Amino acid sequence: MDTCERYDLEGDVVVIGGSGAAVSAALAAAEVGAKVILLSKGKVGRSGNAIISTANISMDGESAYRMGEKRADRRITPKKIFEGIVTNSFFLSEQYHAAAFAENCGRAVKDFIETGRRIGERFIFIPPSGWITSGRAIGRINRYRLRSTESVTFLEDVMVTDILTVRNRAAGVLGVELKSGRLILAKARAVIVASGGFQPFSFKCTSSDTTGDGLAMALRAGAGLSDMEFQLFLPGVLVQPLNHRGSIFPFLWYVGGFATPDILDEKGRRIIDSYERSILEKSLASKWFKLIHAYYWARAQGPLYFDFGSVKRMKYLVSVVRENILLKLMTGERWRYQGEDFRDLHEMVKRGERWKVSMSSEYSMGGILVERNMETSVEGLFACGEAASGFFGAFRGERALTEVLIEGEIAGREAARFAMGSSFAEPGREWLAERINMIAVGKGKEAQMPDYFEMSAELERLADYGFGALRREETMREALDGVRKVREALDMAAYRGVKPGYDTLFIERVRVENLAICLEAGLLSALKRRESRGMHMRSDYEEVDNENFLYRSVVSLREDGRIELSRKKPDCSVIEPPSGREAGIIDYIRRYP
Amino acid sequence: MKVYLFRWNPRTEEKPRYDTYDMDLNSYLGRREATLLELLGLIARYYDHSLSFLNHSNCNRGVCKRCMVRLNGKVVLACNEVVSEGMEIRVEPVNATRVVRDLVTEGL
């Protein structure tokens, strides 16, 4: 029989993930003196969503000025940054997280940029106080950072499937090395989940890593998930041409201040005409950009088009030149953004053709519920970056790449301190053997396995139907029923153990299980929130209702496998949240800078 | 369209083979074109769940380069290579001497 080997290792801290948050956490833990094991589902520096992001990082103006950027706006104080995060979050951000960010972003970003420049990466200053580089550069810098220390052992292409616990205390993880099928048992005193968010929809602008593994594992281990109803929809993702399907290039073109296209619906109507005048200007030059456009795009029927018909030819050509200057500065190459050559899009414009665009979910504001020190309710289990929640609340304007640096640092340091001061929790032998069997041997008869690919497609269909950018009671309820059916079927289903060599079916099954649990958590939280707030937009409840819904939704897993919902008040010790109701999201935005 | 696909599990099979798939893209996608990565996903979903292609950590934007395969002998990134109805294609691993399984190789 073709069975798998097992590889055991032991460290003080295990970090799950391979992008910015994971690397920052691993380095911070190593600095405190911990022996760290990092397990990454993909290749460090070539996986996760950071490498395909807009790749901007930012700090306060004074710190930027001190880095020699004379154009830095010193009025962007840590206090302003703090207020920006909290108001963007619709007051669901834990204010202690936002304060830690505002206080530390200057130092953390400076370190990151200096490390990057040392290995020849480019950072272009963008006023008032940020820099842009390429996703590739972010990846290379993270890889370099990780390799610069010997206290971190890292294994790649390892899909962690379980967090081991003993009496509500983290004890290590179990996973599979995907190319060999070898089982990995990593015992540790503390575990940090830094494996990103979840993306359940069919139309994607994210990496295929984004399956909510860390969230689902943490939930199964006993931690809570929070803010799961808030997915960030990015307006301006290419649907066609097909070779660029899922690219955020149109978004970047639009916010980059290049020749502005008309955004038309299928009937040729300019959707800008449906925008409230007062909000139009704000949409361009502010951190509200994504939310304002998402609000109107979600209400337009069908796909949208970037149409350059009314743009003067010369103006367009000048924009193309400017775009290429920026690309050259960012990456050293012209025409190419991320890994793609976009000359064909410009050719389309020349021929009078339009870019077909839509919205796509790029980020999960929700994630694992953590305390101030990034620890979960499970002792020794920590989370940071996109996998954690509590920082961006209902809406994130920007700063995702900066946030991971700071949260990673805190999680790494705190996990290491915890680990160094405690002994190993030894999982019971029988219990461990059972967990291992579930991966290596499977359950039931192989011939009776359901079609996991079909289930995966069903989940995407349900997410599109009920969990999209504009929601209402009926469709959410239907989608929730559907997801519960999938989860019940999964509970009953037979599956076989992982096979040596790359096992596509095993990967698909784990993906389905994790996405299903995240989607159920998201839908349940969304259903109970009978208001609109940030990226949770409802056509049946348009009001922002601070009287009844200024809380964070928390889900936890009951013994019987059902998901339970509770509420948590966010920390509002610095800025008092608004009271009463706003007529809608746009009215809320109007009140804040 | 017609797809000749390299298949090999070096642990259990002595030598590689080519499986042939006659596919009507339109019936699955409602369009006559697909990226090569989408096409491989369709084959795994509708024809053979055991097909291995690197799918756990793809950026889909040509950055990570992990979906690299040979299309009619030429090395391409499956994520932004478009194939369409009427084509006859041969899909193989980048390096047939380092096959883990089917299109997945060591070193990528």
Side-chain angles (χ1 to χ4, degrees):
Chain A
M1 196 177 135
D2 203 13
T3 52
C4 296
E5 301 164 32
R6 198 177 101 194
Y7 178 51
D8 291 9
L9 59 173
E10 205 173 284
D12 298 313
V13 177
V14 164
V15 181
I16 310 168
S19 198
V23 170
S24 295
L27 292 184
E31 203 160 284
V32 178
K35 187 180 161 222
V36 183
I37 299 164
L38 181 141
L39 302 173
S40 173
K41 186 159 146 190
K43 297 274 191 202
V44 174
R46 284 203 284 146
S47 57
N49 289 324
I51 60 166
I52 52 170
S53 68
T54 51
N56 56 69
I57 49 178
S58 59
M59 55 166 70
D60 62 280
E62 182 62 38
S63 300
Y65 186 81
R66 277 202 238 122
M67 277 182 72
E69 299 295 349
K70 296 295 172 230
R71 290 178 299 156
D73 184 346
R74 294 153 93 178
R75 289 169 301 179
I76 309 292
T77 57
K79 182 167 174 278
K80 271 237 167 84
I81 291 174
F82 171 84
E83 287 166 0
I85 291 160
V86 173
T87 51
N88 266 184
S89 80
F90 284 63
F91 287 84
L92 294 191
S93 178
E94 298 286 354
Q95 293 188 9
Y96 48 71
H97 283 324
F101 177 95
E103 197 181 305
N104 289 301
C105 63
R107 179 187 47 77
V109 170
K110 179 169 178 272
D111 285 353
F112 189 83
I113 290 178
E114 283 175 357
T115 306
R117 286 188 170 148
R118 219 175 303 138
I119 58 169
E121 301 299 354
R122 303 149 193 260
F123 289 89
I124 316 303
F125 184 72
I126 306 281
S129 58
W131 286 261
I132 191 164
T133 181
S134 64
R136 273 202 177 110
I138 299 279
R140 282 190 296 254
I141 296 166
N142 280 330
R143 194 167 180 89
Y144 171 81
R145 291 166 77 209
L146 189 63
R147 295 186 95 152
S148 66
T149 170
E150 281 173 9
S151 326
V152 183
T153 307
F154 69 99
L155 299 179
E156 299 173 303
D157 288 327
V158 171
M159 185 161 76
V160 175
T161 55
D162 294 270
I163 295 165
L164 304 174
T165 54
V166 182
R167 288 180 297 279
N168 199 42
R169 168 144 173 231
V173 303
L174 268 179
V176 172
E177 199 173 57
L178 292 172
K179 281 189 179 176
S180 63
R182 192 165 66 157
L183 255 67
I184 305 281
L185 169 62
K187 290 188 185 168
R189 296 178 168 94
V191 174
I192 303 173
V193 181
S195 53
F198 76 109
Q199 209 290 53
F201 306 98
S202 62
F203 179 53
K204 297 176 197 298
C205 67
T206 47
S207 132
S208 67
D209 296 310
T210 320
T211 54
D213 297 358
L215 278 57
M217 274 187 273
L219 186 70
R220 285 193 292 261
L225 301 180
S226 190
D227 308 334
M228 292 294 283
E229 63 272 47
F230 303 113
Q231 287 280 333
L232 184 61
F233 289 94
L234 186 78
V237 180
L238 276 166
V239 177
Q240 267 170 4
L242 197 57
N243 53 325
H244 300 306
R245 187 181 175 84
S247 170
I248 61 173
F249 186 84
F251 165 78
L252 211 74
W253 180 273
Y254 204 83
V255 291
F258 301 112
T260 313
D262 281 324
I263 305 171
L264 307 179
D265 66 11
E266 285 208 287
K267 289 189 176 143
R269 289 178 299 216
R270 292 169 38 156
I271 74 152
I272 293 286
D273 294 340
S274 66
Y275 287 37
E276 274 187 42
R277 289 287 132 220
S278 61
I279 215 75
L280 200 53
E281 202 176 321
K282 203 168 193 169
S283 74
L284 269 182
S286 79
K287 295 173 185 66
W288 297 108
F289 179 94
K290 289 174 190 171
L291 184 56
I292 293 171
H293 288 281
Y295 178 88
Y296 291 104
W297 286 37
R299 283 160 176 79
Q301 296 293 315
L304 298 171
Y305 299 87
F306 272 27
D307 183 296
F308 294 88
S310 62
V311 176
K312 291 220 166 62
R313 193 178 161 77
M314 191 43 90
K315 191 168 182 195
Y316 187 80
L317 291 177
V318 169
S319 279
V320 173
V321 171
R322 279 180 50 222
E323 175 219 358
N324 272 297
I325 292 170
L326 182 64
L327 287 176
K328 176 96 179 167
L329 285 170
M330 271 162 66
T331 65
E333 273 185 299
R334 288 186 305 151
W335 301 115
R336 294 186 77 81
Y337 177 60
Q338 295 176 334
E340 296 164 88
D341 188 322
F342 282 97
R343 267 175 286 194
D344 53 349
L345 281 194
H346 298 311
E347 288 299 321
M348 285 174 72
V349 174
K350 262 193 210 164
R351 292 194 300 265
E353 294 169 22
R354 310 178 296 184
W355 306 346
K356 189 172 181 180
V357 295
S358 186
M359 287 202 282
S360 175
S361 160
E362 62 153 340
Y363 186 87
S364 314
M365 267 77 76
I368 302 164
L369 181 65
V370 290
E371 301 286 335
R372 190 186 290 253
N373 65 353
M374 310 311 288
E375 191 173 11
T376 67
S377 59
V378 177
E379 209 187 346
L381 179 61
F382 295 76
C384 57
E386 192 181 344
S389 62
F391 183 73
F392 290 118
F395 172 62
R396 154 172 100 67
E398 46 173 30
R399 305 192 196 279
L401 290 183
T402 314
E403 179 232 18
V404 302
L405 300 175
I406 291 146
E407 286 195 356
E409 235 175 59
I410 300 171
R413 188 181 62 225
E414 296 292 327
R417 281 183 188 156
F418 174 87
M420 313 292 270
S422 66
S423 55
F424 275 101
E426 194 65 45
R429 197 176 291 175
E430 270 176 42
W431 181 82
L432 184 60
E434 194 186 315
R435 308 299 299 180
I436 289 170
N437 261 353
M438 283 171 74
I439 305 170
V441 181
K443 189 179 93 179
K445 290 193 177 123
E446 189 172 335
Q448 287 165 359
M449 275 202 301
D451 187 336
Y452 287 104
F453 288 86
E454 202 47 58
M455 283 175 155
S456 187
E458 170 71 358
L459 284 179
E460 286 183 353
R461 195 189 64 73
L462 292 165
D464 291 349
Y465 180 69
F467 197 53
L470 189 59
R471 301 166 177 170
R472 62 189 169 90
E473 190 82 12
E474 206 183 350
T475 49
M476 279 193 281
R477 198 166 289 285
E478 277 176 53
L480 180 62
D481 287 345
V483 176
R484 283 184 169 152
K485 279 195 193 110
V486 171
R487 278 196 64 221
E488 276 161 27
L490 282 168
D491 279 346
M492 308 293 292
Y495 55 88
R496 61 163 169 72
V498 63
K499 291 201 166 161
Y502 194 87
D503 187 344
T504 308
L505 187 60
F506 173 77
I507 295 168
E508 196 64 22
R509 176 172 71 77
V510 176
R511 183 206 312 268
V512 171
E513 286 178 351
N514 291 338
L515 275 176
I517 212 166
C518 290
L519 184 55
E520 182 175 344
L523 278 163
L524 193 62
S525 308
L527 257 171
K528 291 284 157 135
R529 188 175 285 284
R530 292 202 167 100
E531 62 153 359
S532 292
R533 183 174 296 269
M535 277 283 173
H536 172 65
M537 300 188 279
R538 295 188 59 151
S539 58
D540 48 359
Y541 295 93
E542 297 235 21
E543 282 184 338
V544 180
D545 180 356
N546 296 309
E547 268 166 50
N548 295 301
F549 294 100
L550 218 150
Y551 65 79
R552 301 177 61 202
S553 320
V554 177
V555 300
S556 45
L557 200 60
R558 292 195 320 212
E559 287 276 315
D560 63 3
R562 293 285 280 215
I563 288 174
E564 198 170 55
L565 192 67
S566 58
R567 298 173 167 201
K568 178 187 186 302
K569 279 257 168 238
D571 168 38
C572 293
S573 53
V574 183
I575 319 180
E576 185 74 16
S579 56
R581 297 163 183 233
E582 298 282 354
I585 280 170
I586 296 299
D587 302 81
Y588 173 93
I589 294 173
R590 207 182 281 123
R591 282 174 54 148
Y592 296 100
Chain B
M1 67 180 300
K2 203 162 200 169
V3 184
Y4 300 97
L5 189 55
F6 179 99
R7 304 298 305 272
W8 190 26
N9 183 353
R11 287 164 198 267
T12 56
E13 295 157 4
E14 214 168 287
K15 55 179 200 286
R17 65 175 197 276
Y18 285 82
D19 283 353
T20 312
Y21 304 93
D22 273 308
M23 299 179 68
D24 174 9
L25 288 179
N26 201 38
S27 69
Y28 299 115
L29 297 171
R31 48 181 150 88
R32 296 171 51 81
E33 290 182 323
T35 66
L36 184 50
L37 196 58
E38 276 181 316
L39 178 86
L40 295 172
L42 291 177
I43 295 174
R45 181 175 165 196
Y46 292 108
Y47 294 82
D48 187 348
H49 290 177
S50 74
L51 171 67
S52 293
F53 61 104
L54 202 136
N55 195 33
H56 67 283
S57 180
N58 268 320
C59 77
N60 221 21
R61 295 269 63 83
V63 174
C64 75
K65 297 196 164 41
R66 302 204 70 190
C67 61
M68 202 180 270
V69 292
R70 271 177 204 281
L71 174 66
N72 297 333
K74 195 180 133 203
V75 173
V76 300
L77 295 180
C79 67
N80 50 28
E81 191 70 24
V82 176
V83 294
S84 55
E85 281 300 343
M87 281 172 88
E88 232 180 76
I89 61 170
R90 197 174 74 244
V91 188
E92 297 160 309
V94 172
N95 185 345
T97 63
R98 303 188 69 194
V99 171
V100 172
R101 188 165 174 172
D102 301 334
L103 301 175
V104 178
T105 61
E106 293 295 351
L108 265 187

